[in-house]
Amino acid sequence: MPEELLDATDHEILGLLREDARRTLSDIADRVTLSTAAVKRRIDRLRESGVITGFTVQVDHAKLGWGIEAFTELRFVGNTKVDEILHTTTRMPEAQAVFTIAGDPDALVWLRVRDMAHLQKTIDEIRRHHQVTGTKTLIALESWSR
């Protein structure tokens, strides 16, 4: 569904769901001044069109002992296929997301680890992949996201 087909109310509903995906239909309806049935129809339409792809939970990873976040740039041998780049780290529990990038570097991996020793072990594991030619790691001090 193209962006221009979403109206201000659709955007408001999406914002409310991003804040709290467990928000009730009646709470959303009250906030956007529509009926509960109208909100349900809009959410159903957003799901059917693929704008809403799922609902999730936000976890405080620090409370689970995985409080360090880092981003590692990866460089690969010149003939490495994009699928191979993605599969280098997607099986690692430390990898939260992998982004292939046009240009240099070839990929950016978002990592979450327990401590610095765990980060070092994870980077060493990535470097052992025969097509990785270089890495550069940045440690996140604080973060914000939508």
Side-chain angles (χ1 to χ4, degrees):
M1 168 180 292
E3 168 97 16
E4 59 271 5
L5 295 181
L6 300 180
D7 65 16
T9 303
D10 290 328
H11 285 285
E12 191 174 357
I13 290 169
L14 288 170
L16 290 167
L17 288 171
R18 276 196 298 265
E19 286 174 9
D20 182 359
R22 293 185 63 194
R23 194 179 295 272
T24 65
L25 292 174
S26 90
D27 178 58
I28 295 170
D30 288 346
R31 292 171 185 259
V32 299
T33 62
L34 288 176
S35 70
T36 301
V39 168
K40 181 178 182 334
R41 282 192 302 274
R42 283 176 179 257
I43 291 173
D44 289 345
R45 178 177 46 84
L46 292 167
R47 289 185 73 195
E48 289 166 9
S49 67
V51 172
I52 294 176
T53 59
F55 298 88
T56 187
V57 63
Q58 293 180 354
V59 175
D60 184 338
H61 293 279
K63 290 184 179 177
L64 297 175
W66 289 64
I68 296 175
E69 290 181 275
F71 295 87
T72 298
E73 296 176 354
L74 302 180
R75 286 164 184 77
F76 286 81
V77 173
N79 62 352
T80 307
K81 295 180 179 169
V82 173
D83 287 346
E84 293 174 41
I85 291 171
L86 287 173
H87 293 298
T88 301
T89 57
T90 54
R91 292 183 198 95
M92 299 174 71
E94 296 86 358
Q96 304 301 294
V98 180
F99 306 91
T100 55
I101 300 171
D104 184 37
D106 298 302
L108 182 66
V109 182
W110 170 23
L111 299 170
R112 190 178 301 280
V113 294
R114 292 183 298 275
D115 53 35
M116 296 309 289
H118 187 195
L119 178 60
Q120 181 176 341
K121 180 181 172 218
T122 302
I123 299 304
D124 287 345
E125 183 179 339
I126 291 170
R127 287 179 176 165
R128 278 194 293 275
H129 190 278
H130 68 280
Q131 291 187 314
V132 173
T133 62
T135 64
K136 176 181 174 185
T137 300
L138 307 164
I139 297 171
L141 300 177
E142 195 171 343
S143 67
W144 174 90
S145 65
R146 283 201 194 275

